[in-house]
């Protein structure tokens, strides 16, 4: 069986390949669509702050390299994406990175908190259910995870806001800012993070439970039990290290 470091490296390479494919598809779709990326700036648009002349458009085409061969454009695009240089937004009149960064910071905070909550619940509960499969705790936990997994996240978020923010007033509706102090940041991030963790719990629990059940049925686990090893030793040495890679 492949070691965990090599498996982790393989996963990282898979994700990098996927990102390159997504970036390449985005580049090709935009470049091979009819017209030029700057054509709309020369028309009679009313939803943009600036209408460019033909001369200004030609200078921008040269500045962004849009008049170069497609291969040179692609290499320049991949290089800029790798360094998080997404160009300048003519709509917001500022670099695209500066537009995205505040939203990205809030998103990362919510995802980290939500994943921490869902993993801290799903991981031990899935082990507990896998070791008692077919019994009442396993049936209840698995049924609950399937129900949570089937609820659309946007509907769950609306219900959570209505009951816990509007009616019970436990969590705030507005005011989430990355520049707030730690206490305020965690307080305002808690409601969306809880919704995110509930939405992720069902999926994470289900796949983790199934992975542990598959490993518990392996011959080497039965052999370890026949040797008289403690259940905790079997769980830590044999089950966890082989069940984690498929989950990751």
């Amino acid at each position: 069986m492949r070691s965990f470091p090599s498996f982790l490296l393989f996963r990282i390479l898979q994700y990098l390949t996927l990102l390159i494919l997504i970036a390449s598809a985005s580049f090709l779709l935009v470049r091979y669509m009819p017209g030029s990326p700057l054509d709309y700036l020369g028309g009679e648009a009313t939803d943009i702050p600036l209408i460019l002349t033909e001369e200004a458009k030609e200078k921008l085409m040269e500045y962004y390299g849009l008049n170069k061969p497609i291969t040179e454009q692609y290499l320049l695009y991949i290089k800029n994406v790798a360094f998080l240089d997404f160009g300048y937004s003519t709509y917001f009149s500022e670099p695209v990175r500066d537009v995205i960064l505040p939203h990205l910071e809030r998103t990362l905070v919510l995802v980290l908190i939500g994943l921490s909550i869902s993993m801290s619940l799903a991981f031990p509960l899935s082990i507990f259910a896998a070791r008692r499969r077919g019994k009442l705790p396993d049936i209840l936990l698995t049924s609950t995870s399937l129900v949570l997994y089937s609820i659309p996240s946007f509907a769950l978020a609306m219900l959570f806001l209505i009951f816990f923010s509007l009616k019970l007033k436990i969590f705030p509706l507005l005011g989430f800012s990355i520049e707030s102090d730690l206490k305020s940041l965690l307080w305002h991030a808690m409601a969306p993070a809880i919704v995110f963790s509930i939405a992720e719990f069902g999926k994470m629990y289900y796949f983790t439970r199934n992975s542990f059940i598959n490993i518990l049925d392996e011959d080497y686990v039965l052999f370890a039990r026949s040797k008289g090893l403690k259940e905790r030793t079997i769980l830590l040495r044999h089950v966890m290290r082989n069940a984690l890679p498929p989950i990751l």
Side-chain angles (χ1 to χ4, degrees):
M1 181 174 287
R2 185 184 299 166
S3 64
F4 183 75
S6 61
F7 178 84
L8 189 60
L9 179 61
F10 176 72
R11 279 295 192 193
I12 292 173
L13 291 176
Q14 273 190 324
Y15 291 140
L16 287 176
T17 303
L18 181 61
L19 287 175
I20 292 173
L21 289 175
I22 293 173
S24 302
S26 301
F27 173 85
L28 293 174
L29 283 173
V30 173
R31 291 304 186 277
Y32 284 101
M33 288 175 64
S36 164
L38 298 177
D39 279 350
Y40 80 102
L41 293 178
E44 298 180 354
T46 58
D47 60 340
I48 53 176
L50 179 64
I51 303 298
L52 298 180
T53 62
E54 289 297 323
E55 182 180 358
K57 282 170 58 180
E58 289 179 3
K59 290 182 179 180
L60 281 175
M61 293 279 285
E62 183 178 358
Y63 175 77
Y64 287 111
L66 297 175
N67 55 353
K68 295 180 179 179
I70 193 71
T71 53
E72 291 186 30
Q73 292 185 43
Y74 175 74
L75 294 175
L76 180 63
Y77 168 77
I78 293 296
K79 175 187 173 184
N80 291 338
V81 168
F83 287 96
L84 302 180
D85 181 7
F86 304 110
Y88 188 84
S89 171
T90 55
Y91 186 90
F92 293 99
S93 299
E94 60 179 320
V96 176
R97 180 169 52 189
D98 295 341
V99 177
I100 295 175
L101 192 59
H103 304 285
L104 180 62
E105 291 174 343
R106 288 193 287 267
T107 301
L108 289 176
V109 170
L110 294 178
V111 169
L112 287 175
I113 297 176
L115 282 179
S116 300
I117 296 173
S118 60
M119 288 179 66
S120 62
L121 291 175
F123 197 72
L125 289 176
S126 62
I127 299 174
F128 176 80
R131 296 175 61 187
R132 295 161 178 81
R133 60 184 145 166
K135 297 181 180 179
L136 183 60
D138 177 37
I139 295 173
L140 291 176
L141 286 171
T142 304
S143 301
T144 303
S145 71
L146 290 175
V147 170
L148 295 177
Y149 184 58
S150 63
I151 299 176
S153 56
F154 66 89
L156 187 64
M158 293 300 295
L159 291 172
F160 194 91
L161 287 176
I162 290 172
F163 285 104
F164 292 97
S165 295
L166 289 177
K167 294 189 176 296
L168 300 179
K169 300 187 183 301
I170 297 177
F171 297 106
L173 276 172
L174 302 172
F176 180 35
S177 174
I178 201 69
E179 298 176 355
S180 306
D181 58 273
L182 182 60
K183 182 179 179 180
S184 177
L185 174 66
L186 293 176
W187 178 241
H188 285 85
M190 193 54 63
I194 290 175
V195 173
F196 177 81
S197 64
I198 293 173
E200 286 294 310
F201 171 81
K203 176 174 61 177
M204 193 175 296
Y205 167 86
Y206 188 74
F207 288 114
T208 306
R209 171 189 173 273
N210 288 347
S211 178
F212 273 99
I213 286 177
N214 291 333
I215 299 299
L216 287 171
D217 288 334
E218 292 290 341
D219 292 337
Y220 58 83
V221 175
L222 298 176
F223 180 71
R225 284 180 178 150
S226 67
K227 289 170 60 178
L229 294 178
K230 294 182 179 179
E231 197 67 22
R232 182 180 178 184
T233 303
I234 297 173
L235 190 64
L236 294 176
R237 288 187 181 179
H238 300 285
V239 177
M240 279 193 177
R241 76 189 247 191
N242 293 305
L244 285 178
I247 298 168
L248 296 176

